[in-house]
Amino acid sequence: MSIAESETTRFPPRRIGSLLKNRAFLTFLIVVLVWIVAGFAKPGFGSFGHLRYLLELAAVIGLVAIGQTFVVISGGIDLSVGAIVTVSAVGVPLAADLGDPTGTVPVLIILAAATGIGFLNGLGVALLRVHPMIMTLAMATFLQGVLILVAGGSAVSTQNPLLHWFGNARPLGVPAAVYLWVVVSALTLLVLHATPFGARIFALGANPLASALSGVNTRRTTMAVYAIGGLSAGLAGVLLLGMNGQGYVGIGDPYLLASIAAVVLGGTSILGGSGTYAGTIPGAILLVTITALITVVNASPGWRSILFGSLILALLLFSGREARNR
Amino acid sequence: MSVTSGPASRRLYWPAQMQRNRGVRGLFVVVALFVALYAYLFPGLLTVGGVSKFAQSWFPLALVSMSQALLMLTGGISLSIGATVSLGAVIAATTMTGPLGVVGGLAVVMIAGLAIGAITGVIVVRLRLPAIVVTLAASFIIGGAALLILPRPGGAIPTWFSDLLAGNTPAALILLIVTALLWKVYLATPLGLSLYAAGENPVGAYRGGVPVDIARIAAYAISGLLAVGAGLFVAAQTGSGDPVIGTAFTLNSIAAAVLGGVGFLGGRGTMRGAIAGSLLLSVMINVMFFLGFPPVAQYVAQGLIIIGAVALPEITGRRGPR
């Protein structure tokens, strides 16, 4: 399992004690435990096909959560990711393909557009000093209007070959989406923990004033962080379109809450300044697993919603507690 | 103001109140302009009936904005306000025509709001979990409960009660004024006084003997009460309950509070600002409807106006209300 490998290389287990205090590792442990228990309790849950399916679903949440992790670590929050996912999923069939038979051009156009939307978020937060929650919220409202304009409320379908491959192909028995997720995750961890840019993001989230005084270009860093948020949500959107075969208004809505929940379950502080994408990965898998388990329990939508909320709340007790401040 | 009564404090009261308007004066001007525009487009607004009708469309948003602003003043935030509004609506629609009657139904709704708020508050404050995530999870639980009570739109509110609240009466306006006055009274109680201190500087307030935890939990409880109140009113307006009717209120409540100059970090802002913010949003929606804006333009304009209103103090170089 590639996730396990990245987990251990990222955090060399010097002592067992310190490993158990590592929230990313703890979340991963919870996922494994839940999988083992569920596998014994419900035959078929632990089958390769089912776990593969879960990972495929987790890949989309994981991709959205990349941007969310960056933004949250930098001390902000992005409430527009759901809208960006929808815009990208609905936008691909509308983008000009320029006679490209592989379908790469429209995907690139949409990814660029998504990055641009994220950049606009960053512009508002960094230059206009609008609070991130308001800026991204207003952006989501704005995009909702644009969506009705371009899609007119009807579903769009696509025959884009590139997206069809990413959504359905299974080289060596593993979905292409999961490969994509692994590659992008490795890149994310690299950027976040092994580049000056990553260090600047952590500094910005921990103390914006201090980091500005010590020479970090906070405006440029903020804009870059939100642009990454847009790009990752756009990537998730086109992938989702590839998996579903069609896009519709509202397709991205569940990913807003899922991305925030995955980030926080992974031990990243919602206040910014600390965390890792290595925790968000098991966080995303955990979310999908919980959802799958709740679906197995044959309950009404009301009970399902209550179970989901309660389980997240219970998991937060393990991984989301703030330090005592007095 | 029992502690500081005397001729000097009475003389200082109004200057102090004006001073507190500093950050939201610009907002008041914008709101006045929008109301004037609305009155120009729709002259019927300036009659008793017109004001009553408008107050009815504004009242639920004003209540949830107060509910959100109250939490933001203590340094918290709630993403479960929309779900709580829905829950209030479905409880009202299922109990009021039953054996409990209107009074019993009213009591059940209020108790549910207070209890939900208090439980959320205890989880956030005592277990030290981030408010934004707890209320996010709570929105699933509360929304699920609303779905359990009423899986699909239905139920009923007694007609006389609907007419009383949302008929041709200025009941909404009166209730809003009463709520605002009650807020003034609350601010004068020890818990109300602790509110700003707990939001501005929790550690300092705690060391100074302010009951920080209690003040914050009380804020969550009152916030829950205001949210179910909005739900009750929405149910009375529509005459029935809908388990997802409140969804849009979560984001609108945050937008209204922030437009009104309430800061995210706690201790900054005023309730009058939040109410003015909700008035601006509500008038804006009505004006755009009257001008015949298509829904697309409404969303786009709403997004732009919110950003513009928040960014304006920064652009013009003045320090914002934060």
Side-chain angles (χ1 to χ4, degrees):
Chain A
M1 257 206 51
S2 55
I3 290 147
E5 281 159 25
S6 75
E7 195 70 41
T8 44
T9 47
R10 196 66 253 153
F11 298 96
R14 264 161 283 164
R15 274 173 291 135
I16 295 295
S18 74
L19 193 64
L20 280 179
K21 281 189 190 128
N22 185 327
R23 280 169 175 178
F25 180 77
L26 270 181
T27 315
F28 180 72
L29 214 62
I30 295 176
V31 171
V32 172
L33 275 179
V34 170
W35 276 18
I36 291 173
V37 172
F40 277 113
K42 175 112 185 30
F45 186 93
S47 74
F48 178 68
H50 188 251
L51 295 184
R52 179 173 67 184
Y53 174 64
L54 287 185
L55 279 182
E56 203 173 351
L57 291 181
V60 183
I61 296 180
L63 285 177
V64 183
I66 288 177
Q68 198 67 264
T69 307
F70 272 97
V71 173
V72 168
I73 288 178
S74 81
I77 193 159
D78 192 343
L79 299 180
S80 67
V81 287
I84 299 179
V85 168
T86 308
V87 166
S88 334
V90 173
V92 170
L94 303 167
D97 62 358
L98 302 176
D100 176 19
T102 59
T104 316
V105 175
V107 172
L108 288 180
I109 291 175
I110 289 300
L111 289 182
T115 314
I117 294 170
F119 179 75
L120 280 180
N121 275 334
L123 215 61
V125 173
L127 291 185
L128 303 181
R129 305 255 225 103
V130 179
H131 190 279
M133 214 182 268
I134 291 303
M135 182 63 218
T136 53
L137 183 57
M139 178 60 81
T141 314
F142 182 86
L143 290 178
Q144 214 176 333
V146 173
L147 261 179
I148 299 173
L149 190 73
V150 295
S154 58
V156 294
S157 54
T158 183
Q159 276 84 42
N160 190 310
L162 180 72
L163 292 184
H164 188 262
W165 186 82
F166 266 113
N168 299 291
R170 285 184 176 154
L172 305 177
V174 178
V178 175
Y179 283 113
L180 180 70
W181 188 28
V182 169
V183 171
V184 181
S185 296
L187 215 68
T188 304
L189 286 169
L190 204 68
V191 170
L192 210 50
H193 299 287
T195 63
F197 173 66
R200 274 185 228 124
I201 297 175
F202 279 94
L204 183 65
N207 190 335
L209 185 61
S211 54
L213 290 176
S214 40
V216 174
N217 188 336
T218 51
R219 288 183 170 179
R220 199 188 293 168
T221 312
T222 305
M223 286 188 246
V225 161
Y226 282 91
I228 293 173
L231 176 62
S232 80
L235 200 58
V238 293
L239 184 65
L240 196 60
L241 177 68
M243 286 165 141
N244 274 11
Q246 59 172 353
Y248 47 89
V249 176
I251 191 173
D253 289 355
Y255 293 97
L256 168 58
L257 305 189
S259 69
I260 297 175
V263 168
V264 176
L265 287 181
T268 297
S269 164
I270 198 85
L271 305 172
S274 77
T276 170
Y277 185 67
T280 309
I281 298 170
I285 302 174
L286 188 58
L287 268 184
V288 189
T289 311
I290 292 174
T291 316
L293 282 177
I294 292 171
T295 320
V296 168
V297 180
N298 197 5
S300 72
W303 276 117
R304 253 186 261 165
S305 182
I306 292 177
L307 268 175
F308 186 68
S310 312
L311 280 172
I312 289 186
L313 212 52
L315 287 168
L316 276 177
L317 281 173
F318 286 103
S319 62
R321 298 187 67 164
E322 284 172 28
R324 201 168 188 77
N325 61 351
R326 64 174 71 113
Chain B
M1 299 288 150
S2 56
V3 196
T4 55
S5 62
S9 69
R10 228 170 284 147
R11 211 164 356 96
L12 281 174
Y13 181 75
W14 287 109
Q17 288 297 323
M18 288 312 286
Q19 191 67 16
R20 298 189 68 209
N21 281 339
R22 216 176 13 170
V24 282
R25 228 171 265 148
L27 173 72
F28 287 163
V29 173
V30 176
V31 172
L33 284 177
F34 261 97
V35 172
L37 175 66
Y38 185 38
Y40 171 73
L41 290 170
F42 175 57
L45 178 69
L46 298 175
T47 62
V48 176
V51 171
S52 310
K53 273 288 162 214
F54 173 72
Q56 283 166 18
S57 70
W58 170 34
F59 186 58
L61 185 61
L63 279 191
V64 291
S65 304
M66 290 182 79
S67 159
Q68 188 70 266
L70 180 61
L71 292 182
M72 286 169 68
L73 287 178
T74 65
I77 191 157
S78 174
L79 295 182
S80 60
I81 282 185
T84 313
V85 170
S86 303
L87 186 69
V90 297
I91 293 179
T94 45
T95 52
M96 285 196 167
T97 46
L100 288 172
V102 169
V103 178
L106 214 60
V108 174
V109 170
M110 288 170 77
I111 290 167
L114 279 173
I116 288 170
I119 292 170
T120 313
V122 167
I123 294 174
V124 171
V125 175
R126 290 284 182 204
L127 300 181
R128 304 196 313 278
L129 290 171
I132 186 166
V133 195
V134 170
T135 53
L136 191 60
S139 75
F140 283 95
I141 301 176
I142 299 168
L147 275 174
L148 280 189
I149 295 172
L150 206 63
R152 56 191 64 81
I157 302 287
T159 320
W160 67 267
F161 190 65
S162 271
D163 286 343
L164 178 70
L165 278 183
N168 278 319
T169 63
L173 193 63
I174 294 168
L175 280 175
L176 186 59
I177 293 169
V178 169
T179 315
L181 288 177
L182 284 177
W183 164 248
K184 280 275 159 208
V185 173
Y186 181 68
L187 271 190
T189 65
L191 271 186
L193 283 171
S194 315
L195 195 85
Y196 274 90
E200 170 86 45
N201 184 349
V203 178
Y206 178 78
R207 291 189 180 149
V210 172
V212 173
D213 284 3
I214 306 287
R216 289 179 66 196
I217 294 171
Y220 274 94
I222 297 170
S223 161
L225 181 64
L226 287 169
V228 290
L232 175 71
F233 189 81
V234 170
Q237 261 179 332
T238 56
S240 65
D242 181 339
V244 290
I245 199 161
T247 314
F249 280 115
T250 304
L251 301 186
N252 281 338
S253 66
I254 301 176
V258 173
L259 278 180
V262 181
F264 276 93
L265 299 176
R268 297 292 157 91
T270 52
M271 197 52 95
R272 74 192 72 158
I275 296 176
S278 72
L279 178 59
L280 178 62
L281 272 189
S282 204
V283 172
M284 214 167 73
I285 293 166
N286 278 336
V287 165
M288 284 193 285
F289 179 75
F290 260 97
L291 290 177
F293 275 37
V296 182
Q298 279 188 33
Y299 282 124
V300 172
Q302 206 174 331
L304 289 179
I305 290 176
I306 291 174
I307 294 174
V310 177
L312 207 59
E314 285 294 337
I315 299 170
T316 53
R318 273 189 300 132
R319 278 191 61 79
R322 298 203 301 137

